[in-house]
Amino acid sequence: MITVRKAREEDIIAVTELERQCFSRPWSYQSFVFELQSGDSWFSVALMDGEIIGFAVLHRFVDEGELFNIAVSEKMRGRGVGDRLLCDIIEGAKKHELKKIFLEVRKTNEPAKSLYKKHGFEVCGLRRNYYDDPKEDAIIMEKRVFEDRKEENP
Ligand SMILES: CC(C)(COP(=O)(O)OP(=O)(O)OC[C@H]1O[C@@H](n2cnc3c(N)ncnc32)[C@H](O)[C@@H]1OP(=O)(O)O)[C@@H](O)C(=O)NCCC(=O)NCCS
């Protein structure tokens, strides 16, 4: 059975290993510990039979959030784990009453772009040569999450 819950300190070694498998410039163990201990982060993990199979990290900047990271282990992709993690992150953003979530994604990362579009993210910008290994542009995407009354009824 697949479950999604908030990350704990004992998850970080497995999360760091999964990060290393998924990205050419992986985050360090210490970066994940920092996010875990930050009061401004929403850090979720997905597990199957006690094994970490995915994670996602949202960081709050005042009333907006940035999706720093989301990944699912290669063998578990295409089974709805990314969907569940992103739903959990969006719920977290709603609880924190964040107005928007931003993210950056490699221009050619079709699975991730498709996942984000499915969850209501729209392209709002481009950062040229943002990524290394290989050098690539980043697409910036945003999703409106929570609108306060003033904005709903101006
Ligand atoms: C992006 C990623 C997290 C998706 O996780 P996943 O568990 O495979 O995704 P799901 O099975 O929940 O699929 C959800 C949606 O993602 C999109 N998607 C997933 N795999 C896809 C693929 N191979 N091609 C196109 N779209 C895909 C689809 O929109 C899918 O919805 P659908 O099934 O209704 O078509 C996963 O591919 C991954 O870990 N990639 C490597 C790390 C990465 O690039 N992270 C993003 C950094 S910005």
Side-chain angles (χ1 to χ4, degrees):
M1 193 180 68
I2 295 170
T3 53
V4 173
R5 62 157 169 79
K6 284 192 91 174
R8 301 173 190 150
E9 198 160 348
E10 64 262 29
D11 302 327
I12 302 299
I13 290 177
V15 166
T16 309
E17 176 54 26
L18 181 51
E19 164 85 3
R20 207 184 53 74
Q21 289 166 11
C22 292
F23 298 103
S24 59
R25 292 278 180 108
W27 274 24
S28 65
Y29 175 89
Q30 213 44 52
S31 310
F32 285 111
V33 171
F34 179 83
E35 290 305 321
L36 189 70
Q37 293 173 347
S38 163
D40 287 321
S41 290
W42 193 269
F43 187 167
S44 307
V45 288
L47 300 104
M48 193 174 72
D49 302 331
E51 187 193 339
I52 300 279
I53 54 165
F55 64 90
V57 181
L58 178 86
H59 194 96
R60 173 172 58 180
F61 296 96
V62 192
D63 59 356
E64 295 181 345
E66 183 167 352
L67 183 69
F68 275 172
N69 218 330
I70 184 166
V72 173
S73 67
E74 209 168 341
K75 63 179 187 209
M76 292 303 294
R77 288 182 196 159
R79 302 189 196 189
V81 180
D83 262 343
R84 287 186 57 183
L85 282 165
L86 195 51
C87 283
D88 194 66
I89 286 295
I90 292 167
E91 276 311 302
K94 283 182 184 161
K95 276 187 192 149
H96 283 109
E97 300 192 349
L98 302 187
K99 290 185 179 162
K100 286 183 184 176
I101 303 175
F102 288 93
L103 60 83
E104 282 122 9
V105 56
R106 282 184 180 269
K107 205 174 171 181
T108 59
N109 190 343
E110 296 304 333
K113 285 193 299 180
S114 170
L115 170 69
Y116 301 142
K117 279 184 192 150
K118 183 177 171 184
H119 289 264
F121 284 82
E122 292 174 354
V123 174
C124 64
L126 180 88
R127 290 193 211 283
R128 291 218 180 273
N129 295 321
Y130 180 77
Y131 292 106
D132 290 309
D133 294 337
K135 192 67 106 190
E136 191 174 348
D137 296 344
I139 305 277
I140 307 169
M141 300 180 86
E142 69 171 10
K143 175 184 168 65
R144 296 178 81 88
V145 182
F146 180 91
E147 311 208 14
D148 61 33
R149 289 231 168 110
K150 243 189 195 162
E151 281 188 1
E152 274 175 12
N153 305 306

